[in-house]
Amino acid sequence: MPIDWTASEVYFTGVHSLFLFAFHFALLLNVSVLSVNAVTKSATETTIPTQHSVVKVITFSQEPYWDAPWRFQQVSQAGGSGFVVSGNRILTNAHVVSWAKQIIVKRYQDPKSYLAAVEFIGHDCDLALLKVYDSEFFNGLQALSLGSLPSVQSSVTTCGYPAGGEQISYTRGVVSRIEMSAYSHAGNRSFLIAQTDAAINPGNSGGPVIQDGKAVGVAFQGISGLENTGFFIPTPIVAHFLKDIQDGVYNGFPVAGLRLEGLENPAYRKFLGMDSISGGTRVDGSLPFTSIKSGLETNDVILKIRSIPVSNDGTILYEGNRVHCGLLFDEAQVGDTLSLEVWRRGAKKIVPVPMISYTADLAQGNQYDTLPKYLIHGGLVFLSLSRDYLKTLGRNWAVSSPPDFMYALQYQPYQNPDEAIEEPIVLASILPHPVNANWVVKAPALLTKVNGIKINSFATLDSILTKSNSDKAGSSDTGSDLFEFEGSKLLEAMDRGQVKQAMPVILSNYGIPAARRLR
């Protein structure tokens, strides 16, 4: 509590005045000693770190419109938190600084603003590391060290700058559970997560979660409709991120690419010859790259990962918590090799599995900081099929999206990988112009072929249209390009000469700077 020396205290005289002075002096001395020792003092319960290690992050960001990616939304301002780590850098959430045009950081009770920039960012794990241009920002600041994974039912304190005020805020809570769960920032990744009843509000994101003077996590998300519930990224994930970037490159978390199923059915275990073998989770399928490079096969039963037993429901015991065995793949760095003990056709076998990076499924999740591709041809707007585009179709996009869209994006790569499309292309809209006045196919529609050639990426589409427009004789007698779409199975045509004449007018009428952006 601050000491307020006011004129009303002067009326004390004699012994009372001397006693009051001694009391205030002792109190002031005690407060000073506590403030100096707060960083190094070891406590049996949660302690508040020096507030100077926690910073306020202000981001000015601008996102594109995913259904018209040559246009951009208004610049928006949002606040978050962060904290100082070793190397004079600030750790925060990736979602705090995504699509940033400008980043400002502010110290505790310091009115000065400092410019910062993203040095490393991991959208998969929702973490980012910032550098500050002015080195004076770190004068007198002490880096917070990372603690270990907190125990369930232990107390933690969340620190940050949540909405509703300008000053730093502290909220204490209890760790209620630790498990594997989805990270909402990426949308298609699940990692270790810790739940607490300490309030985590907008603006808290990126702030440290403290236990015994050390950061044991980074506050990052909540669930709408739940009260007194927040989530933080625990230290095993944070430590992985910080180790990954030591070579100057962020490779991300390796993806096993395996579809695992529990093996609790006694009849199935008997069928696999596992009557006397306990535990194990079955490989139900895998992405093409994993089946080739990992050596794992469908119906392999994973018994151990790094000598850690895997239960028949696919879980392991991890520091007293029952979590999915995928955590052990997450702990590995890209380039590592994990040793798996598997049961295959009646015998145990050791299979070394190399940990590699996989980014072919980015479109299945939320994407950031890279402008979306597009191509316009005769007013036809072609976009990459992605989760971000589907979200433009409405709040309930997962239900209302065309079934062939959802299948091509989410399910075909796993159910029928040999027929999966590398980069599905969708006709998102049609910009009205006489050249497309008689066009019958309605948007949105999934493009399958052009001039009889299967379209599996923007590179293929652009190559076909570029070649046909440069071919003097044309690729057909009609001088048209033929487009085929999924579902309707209708063929539609565009006259090449008319398209060439119409494109400058279309771009000018709709204020579009370029007909394509393919990188």
Side-chain angles (χ1 to χ4, degrees), residues 57-65 69-78 94-105 114-118 121 130 133 368-372 517:
V57 181
I58 303 172
T59 304
F60 297 88
S61 60
Q62 186 178 40
E63 300 181 35
Y65 286 103
W70 57 88
R71 298 172 53 224
F72 294 86
Q73 302 178 26
Q74 291 184 341
V75 176
S76 61
Q77 176 183 340
H95 76 258
V96 171
V97 293
S98 296
W99 296 111
K101 295 294 186 181
Q102 185 182 72
I103 302 172
I104 292 174
V105 292
Y114 295 82
L115 289 176
V118 174
I121 192 163
L130 308 182
Y133 291 110
Y368 304 94
D369 300 332
T370 300
L371 295 178
R517 181 172 62 225

Side-chain angles (χ1 to χ4, degrees), residues 141-314:
L141 300 188
Q142 181 174 357
L144 287 179
S145 57
L146 296 182
S148 57
L149 182 69
S151 301
V152 173
Q153 299 187 51
S154 64
S155 296
V156 293
T157 300
T158 300
C159 312
Y161 290 85
E166 295 296 324
Q167 300 302 315
I168 194 170
S169 172
Y170 305 97
T171 55
R172 177 173 292 186
V174 173
V175 178
S176 50
R177 68 176 127 191
I178 295 175
E179 60 186 355
M180 298 283 284
S181 188
Y183 278 31
S184 60
H185 179 64
N188 64 336
R189 290 285 188 271
S190 294
F191 297 110
L192 195 66
I193 195 171
Q195 179 179 325
T196 176
D197 60 357
I200 296 179
N201 298 312
N204 267 128
S205 293
V209 178
I210 302 297
Q211 187 175 80
D212 296 334
K214 295 183 177 181
V216 296
V218 180
F220 81 127
Q221 68 185 37
I223 296 181
S224 178
L226 292 183
E227 296 182 358
N228 300 322
T229 301
F231 299 91
F232 62 89
I233 303 170
T235 44
I237 305 300
V238 178
H240 186 287
F241 172 78
L242 294 177
K243 182 179 180 181
D244 188 338
I245 63 176
Q246 287 179 357
D247 62 355
V249 179
Y250 180 67
N251 297 300
F253 285 72
V255 177
L258 301 175
R259 187 168 61 246
L260 303 179
E261 294 291 344
L263 194 56
E264 302 173 80
N265 186 345
Y268 205 157
R269 298 185 70 87
K270 183 177 182 180
F271 171 78
L272 295 174
M274 300 184 66
D275 305 61
S276 59
I277 305 295
S278 62
T281 183
R282 186 178 67 87
V283 177
D284 187 58
S286 63
L287 292 172
F289 82 96
T290 52
S291 62
I292 295 173
K293 296 187 178 182
S294 73
L296 292 173
E297 301 176 3
T298 300
N299 269 343
D300 278 352
V301 179
I302 300 176
L303 302 175
K304 293 181 179 179
I305 304 174
R306 277 183 14 217
S307 301
I308 299 176
V310 180
S311 299
N312 57 13
D313 62 350

